[in-house]
Amino acid sequence: MAGDGIRAGDTAPGNTGQGVGHSVPRKEDDRYLRGTGEYVGDIRLAGMRELAFVRSPYAHARLVSIRKPADAAHLVFTADDLCDVLPIIANSGLPGFKSSAQPALASGKVRHVGEAVAVCVADTRAEAEDLAAAVIVEYDELPALSDMLDAARPDAPLVHDHWGDNLFLQTRVEADLAEIARTAPVVVRRTLRTARQCMSPMEGRGVIARWEARLEQLVLTTSTQMPHIVRTGLAGCLGLPEEQVRIIAPDVGGGFGYKGILLPEEVCAGFLARHLGHPVRWIEDRREQLAGNANCREHHYDLTAYADADGRLIALDADASVDAGAYSIYPFSACLEAAQVASILPGPYRMDAYRCVTRSVATNKAGIVPYRGVARAGVCYAMETMMDAIAAETGLAPHLVRLRNLVPADAMPFDNITNKHFDSGDYPEALRRVVAAIDVEGVRRRQAVQDGPVRLGIGFAIFCEQGAHGTSVYHGWGIPMVPGFEQAVARLTPDGGLELRVGIQSHGQGLETTLAQVGHEILGISIERIRVVHGDTALTPYSTGTWGSRCMVMAGGAVATACRELGERILAIGAHLLQVAPDAARIERGQVVCGARTVSISEVARTWYLRPQELPADVCSGGLEITGGYKTLRDTGTFSYAAHAVVVSVDTELGDVAILDYAICEDGGVLVNPMIVDGQVHGGVAQGIGTALYEEMPFDSAGQPLATTLADYMLPGATEVPALRVDHMVTPSPYSAFGQKGIGEGGAIGPPAAIANAVNDALRPLGVSVDRLPITPHRIVQALMDRCDRGVS
Amino acid sequence: MKPVAFDHDCPVTLEEAARLIARPGARPIAGGQSLGPMLNFRVARPDHLVALAALAGLTGVEDTAQVITLGAATCHAAIEDGRVPDLPGGVLSRIAGGIAYRAVRNRGTIGGSLCHADPGADWLITLTALDASVLTWTPSGGRMIPLAGFVTGAFRTVLAAGEIVQAVHIPRPGPGFGWGYVKACRKPGEFAHAMAALLVDPARGVRRLVIGATGGAPVLLQGVRADPACVGDALAGSGLGRVERRMQAVVAARALAQATNGRVMPA
Amino acid sequence: MTRVTLTINERTRGADIAPRTSLADLLRDTHLLTGTHLGCEHGVCGACTILLDGAPVRSCITGAVACAGRSVRTIEGLAEDAVVAELRAAFTAEHALQCGYCTPGMLVTARDIVLRLPGADEARVRLELAGNLCRCTGYGGIVRAILRVLDARRGEAAPVRPAPLPAARFAPRLRDTGAGTGVMDPATGAPVAAPDAGPDGAPDRMRQVLMLDVPADQVWAAVRDPVLVVECVPGARLLSRQDDRLVGEMRVSLGPIQAAFGGEATVEYRTDAMSGRLVCRGQDQASGTRLSGEAEFHVIPDGAERCRLEMDMRYALRGPLAQFGRGPVVQVFATEIARTVGASLQARLRGEAAPAPPARLGAGRLMVRIVWRALKRLVSFRHDG
């Protein structure tokens, strides 16, 4: 049941080196290191044919006609051929939401570049692409909406003709700020923008669909983070009962949110496999990904902060827009991003009043998908920019302004102005530690004497990250997918191995190792004998999947629950074998122990499965397999937090930014595997550096994406990501099984804010700032040249 | 992202190669490190690919007191690794080592890079500054074409159909020459958004500044005009914005500082 | 199909493959060596890095046919390799992988670093890794793992320095010593002029003004002839004409980049004002790129014997060819076409040689030579003028 409150060491006394808290090397590494991982693109099925899509070159156009090549018309499918296939619909439950219908193949209109218009079948991908190039599509181009502010204007062309405007949803957090605005000693305003990004996991999306006649079942192997959710959505679109759909996620080459979505391509492939009677496969190539699926992160903020003369924040007034793209994607909808903006913009700070208007604006771009950190990367950038603005206005040091406003440790748990329930932690201490780590005074001394083209800057960011939030939060945000109990199956094999079956999917997070560590923690079975089974709806209990920094808390809690309940059955059988009362025995290091007498768990398993004649009839009818269900003690989430501090140098002639030092103090509660946690932090920071300095999908006024190769869309490499210094604090969450907190996304949240603040700190003496991400050399030089021009005129 | 269907011919003689690449729809390919992506993107759609990298006539090196001649099929990595003669100070090795990534340098060739004529290509910019020429081959005789003027614009050269670049002639500068090469890239190995190469060769009275990444042919400034102060004017009609023009002037100034070790030498 | 035989992981393997097959696809699809991953298929990400004759190479942009007779090693063939064994252990110890997709290519590059650069420090390791992208780890673990193996091997025999390339004699058989005829003007260094930027910086507008020593009415008569106008567009061909509705195609090239736009145009003339408007749209079927454009033209008399022809052109490119970020290239190229049109028109109006006919259109190929010749003419005008 919920919140067993098992703590590290409760059931596996002694340091086995494999339980919760240990940097156990990953079980999954070996297959990847030998090239024997199995991704969708590596799988071949007899009779399988390849798919290529005809995609819209226009951002917005009316479809006039589609002409199939005469000699291959039976191998080309359009919306008209997908009889009875329903569009993908993801409605927010919030009042006023306008619904969109995302078709598997476009009909009537195309609404973004890369939208699928037809699908072609051939023996090889090259031949399928040949066929796609021979399909003649006639379009009537319509005015494209490539900018969310333009799209929100009353006279804008419409993405969805029947809506009347282009707003999926507008929300308001109301407060009367008139008096504060009149009296506040310090008022700062900023307008900020973040760019459209492409999440760019190294493996793109991909799907193999096969109709299995024996089971009358569609088997869809797809590179997804959430197989059970895809099953629900796909079954709905194809009109199949869910028991006739099986989703398998094999090895998945990175996700970050990109694969947390039901795809039109999955719907098409599922339809075609059934219709054609042979397996079909689609592998997304990088061009399709960049041209059609830059689908995250794009925010615009108008912010006013009110503070008193010593930097204490009085109120925040925010107007935020999110470019939500053309369609509300399943399952997260077009509005998760903006809902998060409204609820977490205040960050880890206290304030007296808060007003926020958000708009989820439809444009002619791909539907927005939550990317690692979701809205938090933008929100943190916005809030931390305001903190530096207050510091500049008051003349106080940036970290002092933050210390004056952070929720202090003695206020925990703390309900903030938007009713976020911060569970535990010492936010000011995290900040103090990074301030010490980067030697602020030393950098300030060097800044004071610099006069060349290269300028130093210091930037901070501090944020908290709600993770593993559950039913009430998602219901409140109106998301069509609301997570409930997380489940896990724990099963002993006849020879004493432990299978853990979980509905989440591990694609880099190392859950095959960390969940085994949890199983080991409870039952003491060596992790070499614990196998984590995931990524298959036929083999695992229902789960909403891997997203929202939830797996270690939710699946970890479910595994702990299942193992504990399994342990009670093992104890019952073991106690019989020891001829003692069950409550006199306990489980220790893979054995049932009573005094000096022991019986191994594997002996218990062998007896139950193979020698049942040795057990009484009433010993334990449920056997050695159990499904455990788990929720945290409160479903408002764990709040990990981190402070980031960075020192940069800015070449003011060429606009190059070099990261000289990067220090992090992070509190993820009890760390199940500190090595893996550090890996998540490092990987997240690399992505955050991309957001801060490199990654941007620009669109021209016609909605054409302009960075459709990896030479144009810049992903950070080993030379762009510095060595990081990561310090940990450990404040357990009172609500999770081991005190662990979700930390998967945090690394990506801080860098845009910290780096932008550092760059602007360097530029401040020159009288300029850059107020949009990414901060490119061009933007820095342009800002300086503009300033120079103004100075002349 | 697969190429269109094409034939892939692997001739063994220059005569055969020249005949094959003169066919309509034929495209020569050397290391294929620039053409390969264009094929996969289907923006290059040849009927025939003609492989040149393995041709005997395009390999090897010739070294004299006046000039280094590198076979066109010499790969960047061989130059990086010092497997060919170099100018003093390892000028060629350092240029080669800055091209893309090692795996690309193992395949990409100096001749292929010049013929591809990418406006941001390292060899095109630097060898133009070094006053190098390409030696071409056709069945009826070849040409020695100075790199200044070899490229007519982005991705285009003066090569005639069937004309093959056989080797690159790199004259050795006089004693005491200065060399500077600076490029501004978002990331190592990526296309530069500003690049400048500068040769100061007082013994021969030569001063050549080449600006690359202009979107078109490299821009050569000589003599007194080989000065960072002239870069802005020279790029006035280039299509580059004022920010990019400013950056070009900055890299030119830094190339000058490199070439003169900080001392500005009289033009 | 082409027969390709090469050595893969020390075994001779032959296969009949389409000549367009990449080495990566040969390995993965034909020989089922799926440890070599495809991450970008354009040579940037490094996931497909394998060893070709012992050196790391991108298999996604290397043609399989070009590897005939050569030796390839993939991650599967490195299972027993001593350096890779050390790297595997170090990668696990340093948590140098998460999703595993970049890992095989990363190991091939890491092995090359260890063997080729035994003295590499952290900065050098990072630089050498620049061509292998990882989206999960942030590289710290990978860098530490490689440094760990480098450290463990310190003091071992230095790598064998590769041999110098063989000497050769390049005996030129020069037909002429002619300098190039590129458009770069060595005197000013100025490349061809660029168009005005569009409202959002998009290079989608051009203005051409031609001063002509020809009376306005003659120019107007010429402009009224669509056949002549089309002939002045490099690579353009008129396929049919019905009144003012024209059907045609235009083939353009930019080095290896090719496009063949087929489509239609309409022309309106306003004789009293000696002005008109041409609207066209077409598509490059092979890439799915759409081109639309319009040109306003206006003949303005300048005395009795001279006139000015003003052309304002706008074009819009949609689809793959519009989606590369290297703006100035497209910009300069578009300008060159516009200038060529203007120059050709001027030549025709002066009664000079007609532009070269669009040869080989039936062959469906590129107008490399046409554009080249047109540009040469442009150059000669510049020198004449």
Side-chain angles (χ1 to χ4, degrees):
Chain A
M1 265 314 295
D4 297 305
I6 300 169
R7 291 283 177 259
D10 273 2
T11 52
N15 184 1
T16 61
Q18 294 194 330
V20 169
H22 292 283
S23 290
V24 177
R26 298 202 321 168
K27 288 164 61 72
E28 48 268 77
D29 279 1
D30 192 65
R31 68 177 187 271
Y32 299 128
L33 288 162
R34 293 176 186 278
T36 52
E38 189 178 64
Y39 305 88
V40 174
D42 302 338
I43 296 170
R44 268 148 201 82
L45 301 178
M48 184 173 81
R49 305 185 82 191
E50 301 283 342
L51 304 181
F53 285 85
V54 178
R55 296 187 182 277
S56 172
Y58 291 104
H60 196 194
R62 213 164 288 291
L63 265 175
V64 177
S65 67
I66 304 176
R67 203 159 81 233
K68 302 177 183 178
D71 56 345
H74 61 295
L75 298 172
V76 177
F77 298 84
T78 67
D80 290 344
D81 302 310
L82 266 53
C83 36
D84 302 331
V85 171
L86 299 175
I88 298 168
I89 294 174
N91 287 341
S92 167
L94 297 177
F97 174 80
K98 298 193 194 73
S99 179
S100 68
Q102 180 183 19
L105 293 172
S107 66
K109 281 216 299 196
V110 289
R111 294 183 176 86
H112 65 88
V113 170
E115 185 169 0
V117 171
V119 56
C120 304
V121 185
D123 287 338
T124 67
R125 173 61 179 249
E127 289 163 341
E129 290 184 21
D130 295 345
L131 196 48
V135 176
I136 295 173
V137 188
E138 196 186 335
Y139 301 90
D140 261 349
E141 187 173 15
L142 298 167
L145 293 158
S146 61
D147 183 276
M148 64 180 127
L149 300 185
D150 293 340
R153 296 209 169 95
D155 56 346
L158 297 176
V159 177
H160 299 280
D161 297 341
H162 61 286
W163 279 14
D165 61 23
N166 289 312
L167 296 180
F168 277 104
L169 185 67
Q170 178 159 318
T171 67
R172 287 174 187 283
V173 178
E174 286 297 356
D176 183 0
L177 302 183
E179 179 63 17
I180 292 170
R182 206 172 52 75
T183 58
V186 174
V187 182
V188 289
R189 294 198 170 81
R190 290 290 185 276
T191 298
L192 304 169
R193 239 182 205 276
T194 61
R196 271 244 157 187
Q197 287 182 241
C198 189
M199 295 180 230
S200 308
M202 293 317 299
E203 181 211 32
R205 295 161 172 168
V207 54
I208 296 172
R210 171 170 65 98
W211 180 258
E212 185 159 327
R214 179 175 63 88
L215 297 172
E216 292 188 302
Q217 193 177 46
L218 175 66
V219 181
L220 197 91
T221 303
T222 182
S223 189
T224 185
Q225 301 173 221
M226 36 175 54
H228 293 271
I229 295 297
V230 169
R231 171 157 92 158
T232 301
L234 185 68
C237 288
L238 293 177
L240 286 169
E242 285 200 46
E243 67 273 17
Q244 281 187 281
V245 179
R246 175 183 178 187
I247 306 294
I248 299 170
D251 278 325
V252 170
F256 319 118
Y258 191 67
K259 298 167 182 176
I261 180 173
L262 171 67
L263 297 171
E265 290 88 351
E266 288 169 332
V267 178
C268 288
F271 171 86
L272 289 175
R274 198 173 171 204
H275 178 80
L276 297 172
H278 60 71
V280 295
R281 178 170 74 172
W282 167 71
I283 302 295
E284 179 188 62
D285 65 36
R286 191 63 66 178
R287 181 65 168 281
E288 288 180 290
Q289 179 178 109
L290 289 168
N293 283 306
N295 57 13
C296 57
R297 284 278 193 268
E298 193 173 6
H299 298 186
H300 179 275
Y301 296 93
D302 277 317
L303 301 166
T304 306
Y306 302 96
D308 64 22
D310 62 2
R312 199 186 61 83
L313 189 60
I314 301 169
L316 181 67
D317 191 358
D319 183 300
S321 295
V322 170
D323 185 328
Y327 297 108
S328 181
I329 63 103
Y330 184 92
F332 287 108
S333 87
C335 301
L336 169 63
E337 192 96 358
Q340 265 204 357
V341 169
S343 67
I344 65 180
L345 187 55
Y349 300 111
R350 291 186 294 192
M351 62 189 73
D352 302 332
Y354 172 59
R355 182 165 68 185
C356 182
V357 176
T358 74
R359 266 168 241 96
S360 299
V361 186
T363 61
N364 291 117
K365 299 178 189 170
I368 195 163
V369 179
Y371 172 34
R372 193 180 207 168
V374 201
R376 298 181 192 97
V379 158
C380 178
Y381 164 62
M383 193 66 209
E384 293 299 290
T385 297
M386 298 313 282
M387 283 292 153
D388 269 26
I390 293 170
E393 191 70 17
T394 57
L396 295 165
H399 67 276
L400 291 179
V401 171
R402 288 172 174 80
L403 288 172
R404 271 175 205 174
N405 290 290
L406 286 168
V407 173
D410 59 13
M412 293 291 179
F414 180 82
D415 292 319
N416 85 341
I417 191 142
T418 57
N419 290 317
K420 291 285 162 189
H421 181 79
F422 299 165
D423 55 348
S424 63
D426 187 342
Y427 299 174
E429 174 63 13
L431 183 62
R432 282 190 288 267
R433 288 200 194 184
V434 292
V435 168
I438 60 157
D439 182 22
V440 172
E441 296 313 316
V443 177
R444 293 290 180 218
R445 278 195 299 276
R446 287 160 64 198
Q447 276 181 322
V449 297
Q450 64 191 357
D451 56 358
V454 176
R455 301 294 180 119
L456 294 177
I458 299 175
F460 297 104
I462 182 163
F463 58 91
C464 55
E465 177 199 358
Q466 186 180 24
H469 28 332
T471 313
S472 67
V473 179
Y474 274 80
H475 176 66
W477 277 341
I479 308 304
M481 174 194 72
V482 178
F485 278 93
E486 187 73 17
Q487 292 179 313
V489 175
R491 174 159 83 178
L492 275 188
T493 62
D495 63 349
L498 178 64
E499 282 180 5
L500 299 173
R501 297 165 180 267
V502 286
I504 52 89
Q505 213 283 340
S506 181
H507 43 276
Q509 298 88 346
L511 289 154
E512 292 177 28
T513 301
T514 49
L515 293 178
Q517 287 179 259
V518 172
H520 174 83
E521 182 74 26
I522 308 296
L523 296 173
I525 295 171
S526 157
I527 66 164
E528 288 77 21
R529 292 301 314 280
I530 302 177
R531 193 130 305 267
V532 174
V533 178
H534 61 96
D536 188 337
T537 57
L539 300 178
T540 65
Y542 186 86
S543 166
T544 54
T546 299
W547 53 272
S549 298
R550 65 190 300 276
C551 287
M552 205 59 249
V553 173
M554 299 306 296
V559 163
T561 302
C563 287
R564 240 182 119 261
E565 293 177 12
L566 181 65
E568 282 165 20
R569 295 187 184 180
I570 292 169
L571 270 181
I573 299 167
H576 172 79
L577 294 177
L578 293 175
Q579 292 296 300
V580 300
D583 55 5
R586 64 187 189 283
I587 292 176
E588 227 179 78
R589 297 195 173 216
Q591 294 183 314
V592 178
V593 178
C594 180
R597 301 165 63 197
T598 65
V599 59
S600 69
I601 287 179
S602 56
E603 186 59 25
V604 168
R606 259 193 297 277
T607 307
W608 165 261
Y609 286 108
L610 307 177
R611 300 195 302 272
Q613 67 276 15
E614 295 178 11
L615 296 173
D618 63 344
V619 64
C620 180
S621 62
L624 296 173
E625 173 168 348
I626 199 157
T627 302
Y630 175 78
K631 278 188 178 182
T632 48
L633 287 174
R634 277 184 67 119
D635 71 1
T636 49
T638 60
F639 283 77
S640 62
Y641 58 96
H644 289 213
V646 59
V647 181
V648 301
S649 67
V650 180
D651 177 338
T652 56
E653 291 180 336
L654 288 177
D656 290 333
V657 175
I659 298 173
L660 305 180
D661 192 12
Y662 204 117
I664 297 170
C665 179
E666 182 273 348
D667 188 344
V670 172
L671 306 184
V672 173
N673 184 322
M675 175 190 81
I676 285 176
V677 170
D678 276 347
Q680 292 295 308
V681 173
H682 277 76
V685 167
Q687 293 182 356
I689 289 172
T691 300
L693 296 174
Y694 298 101
E695 295 179 40
E696 176 173 23
M697 182 63 68
F699 289 81
D700 70 12
S701 59
Q704 295 287 311
L706 298 176
T708 62
T709 75
L710 288 184
D712 302 306
Y713 189 86
M714 302 262 162
L715 299 176
T719 43
E720 285 69 59
V721 183
L724 308 174
R725 295 187 288 143
V726 183
D727 182 17
H728 292 282
M729 293 165 57
V730 178
T731 314
S733 172
Y735 308 128
S736 66
F738 301 99
Q740 77 272 39
K741 298 183 175 188
I743 50 81
E745 301 169 86
I749 296 170
I755 293 169
N757 280 337
V759 170
N760 285 331
D761 182 54
L763 296 178
R764 191 166 292 114
L766 304 173
V768 303
S769 66
V770 178
D771 294 328
R772 68 185 300 170
L773 301 179
I775 300 178
T776 60
H778 184 102
R779 289 191 174 122
I780 290 174
V781 174
Q782 178 153 39
L784 288 163
M785 289 176 77
D786 288 349
R787 165 76 188 176
C788 196
D789 292 351
R790 283 198 306 274
V792 168
S793 61
Chain B
M1 243 178 79
K2 309 294 180 190
V4 297
F6 50 71
D7 296 332
H8 198 310
D9 301 305
C10 301
V12 294
T13 65
L14 282 168
E15 287 80 0
E16 189 187 358
R19 183 177 55 75
L20 290 172
I21 65 172
R23 288 173 298 172
R27 185 86 208 165
I29 182 166
Q33 300 301 287
S34 300
L35 187 56
M38 290 184 168
L39 290 168
N40 286 358
F41 282 126
R42 294 195 176 203
V43 295
R45 307 194 285 253
D47 291 326
H48 315 277
L49 270 192
V50 182
L52 300 185
L55 284 173
L58 308 186
T59 59
V61 299
E62 187 174 349
D63 190 14
T64 70
Q66 287 78 38
V67 68
I68 297 169
T69 306
L70 302 179
T74 305
C75 72
H76 312 315
I79 302 169
E80 177 188 13
D81 292 351
R83 300 176 65 195
V84 303
D86 203 337
L87 303 179
V91 166
L92 300 180
S93 170
R94 282 188 287 128
I95 296 165
I99 298 171
Y101 321 108
R102 180 73 184 185
V104 168
R105 300 196 289 272
N106 280 326
R107 286 286 290 167
T109 68
I110 189 168
S113 174
L114 292 172
C115 293
H116 187 68
D118 188 302
D122 294 81
W123 285 131
L124 180 61
I125 309 312
T126 54
L127 292 176
T128 301
L130 288 166
D131 205 8
S133 302
V134 292
L135 168 64
T136 70
W137 190 95
T138 72
S140 59
R143 293 192 281 172
M144 187 74 84
I145 308 175
L147 280 174
F150 175 68
V151 169
T152 56
F155 304 114
R156 292 191 309 281
T157 68
V158 298
L159 290 175
E163 187 171 18
I164 295 170
V165 170
Q166 191 183 5
V168 182
H169 277 232
I170 306 164
R172 288 183 175 278
F177 77 95
W179 172 250
Y181 178 41
V182 176
K183 50 180 180 171
C185 303
R186 302 282 301 279
K187 290 166 54 176
E190 288 301 333
F191 292 110
H193 50 270
M195 56 202 309
L198 179 73
L199 174 70
V200 180
D201 188 352
R204 295 192 303 164
V206 167
R207 186 175 167 115
R208 298 165 66 87
L209 170 62
V210 176
I211 305 297
T214 62
V219 172
L220 169 64
L221 299 171
Q222 302 191 65
V224 291
R225 300 193 74 245
D227 188 298
C230 298
V231 168
D233 283 348
L235 296 176
S238 64
L240 296 181
R242 64 180 194 130
V243 171
E244 282 69 28
R245 293 200 302 270
R246 166 70 67 86
M247 291 182 178
Q248 294 282 18
V250 171
V251 292
R254 294 186 184 184
L256 177 65
Q258 273 185 11
T260 58
N261 290 325
R263 312 183 308 279
V264 177
M265 300 173 78
Chain C
M1 296 298 242
T2 301
R3 184 77 185 167
V4 173
T5 302
L6 64 166
T7 303
I8 301 174
N9 297 334
E10 297 174 347
R11 286 177 56 200
T12 302
R13 309 287 294 267
D16 293 313
I17 55 169
R20 60 171 145 174
T21 307
S22 70
L23 178 58
D25 285 344
L26 173 76
L27 295 169
R28 291 175 49 79
D29 296 340
T30 308
H31 299 299
L32 304 180
L33 294 165
T34 54
T36 297
H37 296 151
L38 289 175
C40 72
E41 294 183 275
H42 55 281
V44 178
C45 82
C48 69
T49 308
I50 51 88
L51 295 176
L52 180 64
D53 293 337
V57 156
R58 306 285 207 229
S59 60
C60 72
I61 52 171
T62 298
V65 174
C67 298
R70 303 182 68 176
S71 174
V72 168
R73 280 180 94 183
T74 68
I75 188 68
E76 292 90 346
L78 291 166
E80 306 301 320
D81 180 84
V83 177
V84 172
E86 291 173 47
L87 284 166
R88 278 199 303 267
F91 267 51
T92 289
E94 297 290 357
H95 191 26
L97 65 154
Q98 290 183 23
C99 82
Y101 200 78
C102 74
T103 306
M106 205 59 90
L107 284 170
V108 170
T109 296
R111 178 182 182 274
D112 181 56
I113 295 170
V114 168
L115 290 174
R116 187 167 52 86
L117 302 167
D121 60 6
E122 180 183 335
R124 185 65 192 268
V125 168
R126 286 183 179 274
L127 184 63
E128 294 290 327
L129 284 175
N132 287 75
L133 296 176
C134 168
R135 195 59 163 161
C136 294
T137 64
Y139 305 98
I142 298 168
V143 172
R144 288 194 307 273
I146 294 171
L147 289 171
R148 180 190 275 236
V149 173
L150 282 168
D151 281 344
R153 297 174 76 89
R154 297 247 190 258
E156 295 195 5
V160 181
R161 286 196 63 79
L165 297 189
R169 283 275 296 151
F170 295 98
R173 297 183 299 131
L174 296 185
R175 127 169 94 82
D176 61 51
T177 55
T181 47
V183 295
M184 184 176 68
D185 179 353
T188 64
V192 291
D196 298 329
D200 55 354
D204 60 358
R205 288 166 186 229
M206 282 164 282
R207 180 175 172 82
Q208 284 280 306
V209 179
L210 300 178
M211 307 300 296
L212 299 167
D213 299 328
V214 182
D217 53 347
Q218 283 184 37
V219 172
W220 178 244
V223 167
R224 289 235 34 174
D225 176 5
V227 177
L228 182 146
V229 172
V230 169
E231 279 181 6
C232 291
V233 178
R237 188 173 70 144
L238 195 60
L239 295 173
S240 71
R241 176 186 175 190
Q242 194 173 44
D243 300 326
D244 289 334
R245 187 166 168 273
L246 316 170
V247 176
E249 63 182 8
M250 186 174 94
R251 290 166 184 271
V252 294
S253 75
L254 184 58
I257 302 172
Q258 304 153 350
F261 292 93
E264 57 179 57
T266 52
V267 202
E268 299 163 18
Y269 295 100
R270 295 182 291 273
T271 302
D272 48 342
M274 282 203 285
S275 70
R277 181 164 177 265
L278 179 141
V279 179
C280 66
R281 51 188 259 176
Q283 77 160 311
D284 173 42
Q285 190 62 35
S287 70
T289 302
R290 313 286 166 136
L291 175 68
S292 60
E294 54 179 83
E296 298 270 357
F297 47 91
H298 194 183
V299 179
I300 301 162
D302 179 10
E305 296 303 313
R306 292 159 51 90
C307 71
R308 202 161 78 234
L309 174 59
E310 295 185 356
M311 292 185 287
D312 286 293
M313 288 170 275
R314 298 165 56 100
Y315 71 90
L317 210 52
R318 305 282 185 263
L321 290 175
Q323 294 165 0
F324 292 97
R326 301 178 66 198
V329 173
V330 175
Q331 206 169 336
V332 169
F333 182 61
T335 313
E336 285 181 16
I337 289 191
R339 289 180 64 105
T340 308
V341 173
S344 302
L345 200 57
Q346 187 159 5
R348 288 291 292 255
L349 292 170
R350 283 176 177 170
E352 295 171 13
R360 294 206 307 255
L361 278 172
R365 273 317 116 194
L366 221 269
M367 306 310 294
V368 181
R369 296 183 45 179
I370 303 238
V371 173
W372 183 66
R373 263 185 261 162
L375 289 170
K376 268 178 73 172
R377 199 162 33 249
L378 174 61
V379 171
S380 64
F381 276 130
R382 289 163 58 92
H383 289 182
D384 290 348

